[in-house]
Amino acid sequence: VVGTRRLSMNLAWVDDANSELQVTNATARALRLDNVHFGVAGYSSTLTRYAALQMEADQMITISAGASDENIYEGNPYMFGFLPGVESKKHDLYGFILKTATEVDVAWNSSSSPNDRPCGRTGCLSTLHFAELSLTCRENLHDVRMQYFGEVQSCEVVSAETTYDTFLSLLRKLKSSNVTILELASLSVSQMRTIT
């Protein structure tokens, strides 16, 4: 909705196969489809870096849902993102989540009864439980996340062979484990289409 007008939007998917070698060509192909007015780069910094170069060359506004590397945005007036940059320690994503949960707890602790708090009696910080759905469980990130979220974290492997029922079962398992932060990592568009 823009003002009082309800407008429609069509999304055109182009799969880059989660490959640094293919992302630039896939981006160029997507931009040449009929009536493309902006791009959405839905993956992490590594692949978005290559897509951003093509988007800038074509002067196409692009929104990145997952890139937090500030170098992607610097000097490129066509790139916009949702995540705080990783260059500054205080703005990294995990730190941002912890900082926000802490601020909510402090604000509500001083002004309300425990039953009225948005995250329950124990507060938001104590309810942060991390899980990852990924093609491979990234062990290199386990220690990093443990610094932020402690031992309450898990990783479940999914692939193109993962059925919808299995995927749904994994999500239910994570929900019953009180997971509050779910990261989807290394899943290409075609793999998500296969699962869903």
Side-chain angles (χ1 to χ4, degrees), residues 16-184:
D16 59 25
N18 203 26
S19 163
E20 294 175 22
L21 299 175
Q22 293 187 41
V23 67
T24 305
N25 290 336
T27 302
R29 181 171 166 245
L31 294 178
R32 280 145 186 82
L33 296 172
D34 287 341
N35 295 319
V36 171
H37 296 91
F38 67 93
V40 177
Y43 28 76
S44 63
S45 297
T46 304
L47 294 176
T48 299
R49 182 175 296 111
Y50 294 99
L53 295 172
Q54 186 63 49
M55 295 298 204
E56 184 176 17
D58 282 282
Q59 299 182 346
M60 180 70 66
I61 291 176
T62 306
I63 301 165
S64 172
S68 58
D69 184 345
E70 292 173 349
N71 294 321
I72 292 169
Y73 305 100
E74 287 179 7
N76 186 341
Y78 300 98
M79 284 298 299
F80 300 88
F82 294 117
L83 299 182
V86 296
E87 299 303 315
S88 168
K89 192 68 175 168
K90 66 181 179 181
H91 292 300
D92 65 76
L93 181 59
Y94 299 151
F96 179 76
I97 291 169
L98 286 180
K99 180 177 177 284
T100 302
T102 302
E103 288 174 355
V104 169
D105 285 349
V106 168
W108 282 83
N109 283 345
S110 61
S111 65
S112 65
S113 74
N115 293 331
D116 294 333
R117 294 177 188 157
C119 300
R121 296 182 64 83
T122 58
C124 295
L125 197 58
S126 66
T127 63
L128 296 179
H129 302 284
F130 185 93
E132 175 184 352
L133 289 177
S134 179
L135 292 176
T136 57
C137 291
R138 299 171 295 173
E139 291 301 321
N140 60 318
L141 289 180
H142 177 80
D143 293 340
V144 173
R145 287 193 295 246
M146 219 167 95
Q147 294 172 12
Y148 290 98
F149 306 112
E151 287 291 344
V152 188
Q153 58 174 303
S154 65
C155 180
E156 301 290 343
V157 175
V158 293
S159 68
E161 289 77 37
T162 302
T163 65
Y164 173 78
D165 289 336
T166 302
F167 188 71
L168 198 57
S169 176
L170 286 173
L171 290 177
R172 287 185 178 130
K173 174 184 168 187
L174 296 174
K175 182 178 180 183
S176 69
S177 301
N178 297 316
V179 167
T180 54
I181 303 165
L182 179 61
E183 182 174 349
L184 299 173

